[in-house]
Amino acid sequence: MIARRAARVPLQYLLGEVEWGGVRLRCDARALVPRPETEWLLHLTLEALSPLAAPRVLDVGTGTGALALGVKAARRGAQVTATDLSPQALTLARENAALNGLEVTWVQADLLTGVPGPFDLIVSNPPYLPDADREDVQPEVTHDPELALYGGPDGLTLARRLAAQATGVLVPGGRLLLELDPRNATAFAAELRTQGWAAGTAADLTGRERFVTAQWRGAAGSALP
């Protein structure tokens, strides 16, 4: 095990499981290793959901199922759906749901394609590294599936597609919460504001503006204050 770690195999792979966001998650090469900073995205999600008794939540690009299962563990009355393009990742997510005794609806889909709404909140940690980062990432990152890492030339290709699709399935006043590259979050929030969203950013625990928090104005009325 020491030799494999010295070869920069992620510690989570060596341990096989991690405690994350109030749930236990199996970790292997089928999905992105859940990062500690993403636990703050879970915190922001639960904070946004607090006014609703039975929120309808969608986790896009679920990977290990971390965000979907973290929401369900904290809010047992929530209706949680999770999507991923990778069938291997969804198999792992289902294993993690069984491990924690939690019920989530799992859907294989390209972002929101074919996923019916409505939802009160959509949360996602989409692939957000610019393609050029392939040459410079830490050795541990190379063990993650590339499908879960790279988001096009500027890292925002998937985030833009997701935001465009989200307007069709969110209730008026519904929320979109994203984890993005800190190099892009502020600019993307500004981009969303030109498209009818009320959008801002939130910092991670190191002070970097990593999270985009957006509300779809839609028609009159608001599902979430």
Side-chain angles (χ1 to χ4, degrees), residues 125-149:
N125 177 17
Y128 61 61
L129 293 179
D131 291 342
D133 282 9
R134 281 184 171 88
E135 305 302 320
D136 300 315
V137 295
Q138 295 181 354
E140 286 84 353
V141 175
T142 63
H143 293 269
D144 285 318
E146 285 205 355
L147 183 67
L149 292 171

Side-chain angles (χ1 to χ4, degrees), residues 26-220:
R26 291 175 181 161
C27 294
D28 59 39
R30 288 176 286 179
L32 186 78
V33 171
R35 268 53 171 186
E37 54 266 32
T38 308
E39 290 187 90
W40 196 248
L41 179 59
L42 174 62
H43 166 79
L44 295 172
T45 299
L46 295 175
E47 190 173 63
L49 294 174
S50 60
L52 295 180
R56 297 158 295 183
V57 182
L58 176 64
D59 172 23
V60 179
T62 193
T64 60
L67 284 166
L69 295 171
V71 169
K72 189 66 177 179
R75 296 292 308 271
R76 296 299 178 112
Q79 301 174 41
V80 182
T81 303
T83 73
D84 206 287
L85 183 60
S86 165
Q88 293 81 14
L90 285 175
T91 298
L92 178 59
R94 289 187 179 97
E95 291 171 7
N96 283 327
L99 182 66
N100 290 276
L102 297 171
E103 185 175 344
V104 169
T105 300
W106 308 102
V107 181
Q108 185 178 355
D110 181 2
L111 298 180
L112 303 185
T113 303
V115 181
F119 297 102
D120 299 297
L121 184 146
I122 296 172
V123 62
S124 183
N125 177 17
Y128 61 61
L129 293 179
D131 291 342
D133 282 9
R134 281 184 171 88
E135 305 302 320
D136 300 315
V137 295
Q138 295 181 354
E140 286 84 353
V141 175
T142 63
H143 293 269
D144 285 318
E146 285 205 355
L147 183 67
L149 292 171
Y150 300 104
D154 63 356
L156 290 174
T157 299
L158 279 299
R160 290 189 178 104
R161 285 184 54 212
L162 174 55
Q165 293 179 352
T167 61
V169 297
L170 278 174
V171 298
R175 299 288 180 90
L176 174 66
L177 276 69
L178 302 173
E179 178 179 335
L180 295 178
D181 190 318
R183 295 170 290 182
N184 284 331
T186 299
F188 189 63
E191 192 174 310
L192 289 179
R193 288 193 292 271
T194 70
Q195 300 168 9
W197 295 84
T201 61
D204 63 19
L205 296 181
T206 68
R208 293 175 294 178
E209 297 298 315
R210 177 181 295 276
F211 307 106
V212 172
T213 61
Q215 185 172 34
W216 178 236
R217 293 189 176 110

